[in-house]
Structures are given as C-alpha cells and as structure tokens.
Amino acid sequence: MILADRLEGVAVNLVDKALLLGHVLAWRARWDRRDLDYLPAERTSDKFMTGREAASLIPDGATVISSGMAGNSRCSAFYWAIRERYEAEGRPKGLTWISVGGQGGRGRAPGTVEEVGREGLVTRFISGHVETTKSMLALAEKGCLDLHVLPQGEMTELIEGQARGINCVRSRTGLDTFLDPRCGSGSAVFDRNGANLVHADADELVYELPAIDVALFCGAYADPQGNVYLTDVATITESHESVSAARANGGLAMAVVGGMIEEDPSLPRVPAEMLDAVVVNPYNEQTIMAPQSKPWKMFCPGGDGDDRRAIERLRFINRVLRLTPVRGPVEAALGRLGARLFSEVVPRGAHINIGVGFPEEVCREVYDSDLHHDLVFTTETGVYGGMPAPGVYFGAAVNPDRFETSAWMFRFYKEHLDTAVLGFLQIDSHGNVNVSRRGPGIKDYVGPGGFPSIVQSARTVIFIGTWMAGADWEVEDGRLKLQKPGRPKFVGEVDEVTFNGARGLADGKQVYYVTSVGVFRLTHDGLEMIRRMPGVDLERDVMAHAEARLNIPKDIPVVDASVVTGEKFRLTWPDGA
C-alpha cells in the first residue's frame, strides 16, 4: 500500500486531522504577533536588544542579508522592526537586500522578507528565488527596485568567500543559459542603470555580490552571555557564513531567537563575540506553525520516532493552507512513473537532491519503498539525510541525519551529487529546460533558485512535470485517457534557458524527462521517447500536443498498469533485491 493510501488510516486519522486543523486555525489567529520591545530578564550581556533597538543600528544604504528558506528559520522580528521604523522615520532607506533562498509569503503570509518590500526602503533585491516575494516583484514592476537573480550555489560560495576577502567566483554554472550575458540577461531581471552581477570570461562565468554590511539570522535560543544556539532549528542555511562575512567587512551581525537557556558549550552555537545584537522574540518560530518554545522534533536529527506519520501531517497542513496543489489519481500515477524510472537509473548509495512539486511525489514513493534505506536525500539548505519536507516546509527534512550549511552542501554536491529530481515549466526540442520564467512580466518571474548549481553538479538529472498545462486526464481501467487538451509544455524554444541540454550532454550527464504521457531521454539527436503510459495514443495524445521535435521509435515499451493504478506497485533495484 502506498503512503497516500494511508491518509485516511494510520498516518493521518480523523483525530489527527481535527487536531491539525485546530493547530492551523490557532496559528492563523496569532501569525502576526510580535513583541518588538521585549528584553529577557535573564540577560547579563549588553548585546541583548529589543527588536526596535536592533533595527535602529542599520544605516541607510546598507547591504543586508537574511538567512532562512520558505517557512524555516524566518527572521520575522527583524523584518517587522525594520519596516515599522521606516514607516515612522523614513529610515533605513536605500537598502540592498540579499536572500539566497525564497523567503517571501506570496503576498499572503506576514512576517516574511516581504515586510521590507516598501518603496524607498529596499531599492535592490538579490536572490536565487523571487517568485514568493510578491512585494519585491511589484516594486520592480513599478520601476523603483533593481531585481537580480543568481544561482544559489554561487551565492553561498560568494558569501563564504567574503570572510576571506574574496569578492567574485568563477564557475561553469549557467554557461549557455540566461545567466550567461552572451546569450541571456545575466543576473538582471530589471536594473535601472543596466548593472549586472555576472560577466563572461572564456569558458566560465564570473559572479559577484556587493559586500555584506548587516547579517540577520534566526537561531533557536540564547544564553545570558549572548551566545546563540542552533539546536532545535529546521535549517541553518547561511547563518555562519553571513555572520563571518559581515564581521570581516566591518559590519553588523544580529540574531533573533525564541527563548533563553543556560550556557552549554557542547551545543552548536554562534559565539557572542561574533554578534553585535541578540533579539529575543517570544513568538519566534522554528518553522511555520512551530513556535520555538515548542519545536517540532520531527525536523531535528533523530526525528520524533514516526517518520511516515510526520510526513503525512505536513502534507495535510499544506493542503489546508492551499500552498500545494491537490494531487489526484493522474498526478499520483506521474509520481509513480518518476519513481519507477528513478529505481532503474539511480545507483545504491546515491546522494539525491529533490526539488519542489512533482519531485516531492517521486521522493514520497521512493521513501515509502525499501529503496530509501540505500539512499541519502539532501536539500540545498544544508540538511543531510531524512525525508525532504514538502511545500511550505521545503528546505527542512523529517528525521535528518545532521545539519550543515548551504555553502557546505553546494560544495559537497560538486563531488558527490549523483541524482537530482527537479520540476520544469517548459522543455524544447534541444532538451533545454525553463524553470525560471513563468510569463512575460516581472511579476511572473520565478528565478532559478539552486537549480543551475544543482544540475551542474548532478551526474543524472530527472525532470518531471505534466505533459500539458491545464489538460484534463482521467484513469480508466488502468489506462490514461485524455479528456481535454491543455497548453503544450514541450515547445519549439523555451522562453528562458535555465538548463542547456547540449551543455548537459557535453558534460556527460544522463538526462530524463518524465511526463503524463511517458518518459523521454535526451540524446545527441534530441528527445527520444523510451516509455509510454498505458492508454496513451502517440499521434492523438503526444504528437498532436507537442511543438518540440520528438524522436518516437516504432516500438516503445509500455509501463505496467500498476504505475497508473498503484495496485501492487512496487519499487526494486534492477537486480530485484
């Protein structure tokens, strides 16, 4: 029985659902609470400040970096305090803001980096992923904010390098994609002065970041001496590197935590001497819906003892919040098809990176099989091991082995990343992939995230997504049947090249594309179909709805009906063990 089938059973029963729904409603009622004037009575160090006092230290024109990703390790108190000071005093103004991972709330959730997306407060925003930062996109669309995107791996390397006086990074990541100024826009989505943070030099791209003046990060606890502990967190991301960079540049490093504990040098921490301010916010969260005062142990090394129940609880929360799409039988079949291919092409002992969306469905199938015991899942936030968390919790993992930093993980990927399972928006005749541009306007921009750095490192890349956008399929007698066509996603040329197929082949990568109609492989002759879903008609369902050139052999193996229905579906390694 697959994990999804347990939703009404052991994993998330009716009592669990009721409790979770109550938890969601309680969180929604208090999600914008903060105490920006709080000071802990236990403090002995003068580094403890209120949120408002810390915000007053940030000078006009500073370059600020905030750590965290999605709902994990948010610096909410800083965002609110900076915004409120600006609204009251008009300062700080003209900030450059850096966030490596996506830290927005899609214009809905408070306490995200979107709080500082106010005209005049931030005038340049640099990030890997910008889709969730609606306030920043709106400012750029209005023409009053410069918007730049960079690959997350190179961003973390640049941040780490600033502590050693290194201000640029040379890399093959992004060659022949939109990041390459010779064939694309480079870093600039919109820049009023035509500036760029990447330039080409022969067979490399040179990336740069402005010097960091202020580093903001979210820890768990502080002791009375001002040491900040990174226990009971969901991610570490860039906390260590950004602090070191700011200090090396003569700037400020500030932490927000959720509470106080006694000093314990044996625990992972950022020492007080590295910090200029420590803010305690009693409402601080470990991650969305998990107050730091009651952290969810499922996200900590060792977990909470029930991985599968934890995973289904997270999926249920995402569905309640409507932050992830509801998956029906057709989407479940797509996830199983991706998992079947995964079992055929990924070696035992592999290190895996899983993207958002349909890659999460593949991961769930693999994790529910015996295969996951022979694999190591990772996330670009630095979380090593465990089951990558879905939706708004992306970046964290259930029952991880340990936490590293983002910079460590991207460095590790260069030598050890075997496989990446990633989504797509468009694919073209050359195997190029677009994940960064959803539409023509700035407001539609997504950004590349960690995608360019990850695909550069991975030996095998599996892209997975629906065959068409907005199409209607149904499952009938173990076969797929197209009810209503949608918009083709396999196009003549993608709107923006985030992955270059020819470059991937030249680098020796194995590249696959898993879709609702079947599986394609990238060859030197283009896209070749190698598996077909039961019920799919090649002329009616495939060729009629593809603008891309496809190589369709005469005899394409049809996958077994268990992939479509889930009945007796089982994953094994190729030797059957």
Side-chain angles (χ1 to χ4, degrees), residues 171-172 175-176 182 201-205 503:
S171 174
R172 289 172 56 82
L175 284 172
D176 300 326
R182 293 167 295 197
D201 185 8
D203 204 24
E204 291 181 316
L205 298 181
R503 175 69 64 174

Side-chain angles (χ1 to χ4, degrees), residues 157-446:
E157 190 174 349
L158 283 162
I159 296 163
E160 187 178 49
Q162 286 193 16
R164 305 192 306 273
I166 299 172
N167 58 15
C168 67
V169 164
R170 304 179 71 90
S171 174
R172 289 172 56 82
T173 296
L175 284 172
D176 300 326
T177 73
F178 82 92
L179 290 163
D180 190 334
R182 293 167 295 197
C183 54
S185 59
S187 70
V189 181
F190 171 75
D191 192 282
R192 290 163 289 185
N193 300 309
N196 219 315
L197 299 175
V198 57
H199 69 269
D201 185 8
D203 204 24
E204 291 181 316
L205 298 181
V206 181
Y207 294 96
E208 58 183 309
L209 273 179
I212 294 167
D213 302 306
V214 181
L216 307 176
F217 76 97
C218 179
Y221 317 108
D223 62 32
Q225 292 73 42
N227 300 298
V228 169
Y229 294 84
L230 299 174
T231 52
D232 292 338
V233 296
T235 58
I236 292 177
T237 63
E238 303 79 42
S239 299
H240 289 291
E241 289 85 0
S242 63
V243 166
S244 297
R247 300 289 290 191
N249 295 333
L252 303 171
M254 302 193 283
V256 59
V257 299
M260 301 289 291
I261 60 172
E262 292 299 315
E263 184 177 9
D264 187 346
S266 69
L267 297 177
R269 65 183 188 176
V270 178
E273 56 266 26
M274 292 291 290
L275 300 172
D276 298 283
V278 179
V279 173
V280 179
N281 174 21
Y283 300 105
N284 211 59
E285 291 182 318
Q286 174 204 30
T287 187
I288 280 184
M289 281 187 245
Q292 194 62 65
S293 58
K294 296 180 180 178
W296 289 357
K297 293 295 184 180
M298 70 172 85
F299 290 133
C300 303
D304 64 358
D306 194 340
D307 292 4
R308 288 185 168 88
R309 182 169 180 265
I311 292 162
E312 283 307 325
R313 285 163 62 90
L314 297 179
R315 289 172 59 82
F316 178 76
I317 289 171
N318 276 300
R319 284 194 289 271
V320 170
L321 294 176
R322 298 183 182 276
L323 294 171
T324 56
V326 176
R327 303 298 192 197
V330 175
E331 291 79 19
L334 177 56
R336 286 190 288 270
L337 180 61
R340 175 62 57 81
L341 175 70
F342 182 101
S343 70
E344 296 170 355
V345 301
V346 176
R348 278 187 176 87
H351 288 88
I352 314 297
N353 176 276
I354 296 290
V356 296
F358 280 110
E360 295 171 353
E361 301 300 311
V362 175
C363 183
R364 180 173 61 87
E365 294 288 349
V366 173
Y367 203 83
D368 196 43
S369 73
D370 290 333
L371 271 62
H372 86 272
H373 298 295
D374 299 322
L375 301 165
V376 180
F377 292 101
T378 65
T379 67
E380 55 264 41
T381 59
V383 178
Y384 184 96
M387 163 71 170
V392 72
Y393 298 100
F394 180 77
V398 172
N399 189 19
D401 294 337
R402 65 181 192 267
F403 291 142
E404 303 288 353
T405 68
S406 301
W408 182 95
M409 187 59 76
F410 279 108
R411 195 163 52 248
F412 179 83
Y413 281 169
K414 291 180 181 179
E415 298 294 330
H416 303 287
L417 183 60
D418 296 284
T419 304
V421 185
L422 305 166
F424 65 83
L425 294 173
Q426 293 175 312
I427 292 166
D428 70 18
S429 304
H430 310 288
N432 299 327
V433 178
N434 169 29
V435 302
S436 48
R437 180 176 291 278
R438 194 180 298 278
I442 293 176
K443 68 181 186 307
D444 303 313
Y445 205 73
V446 178

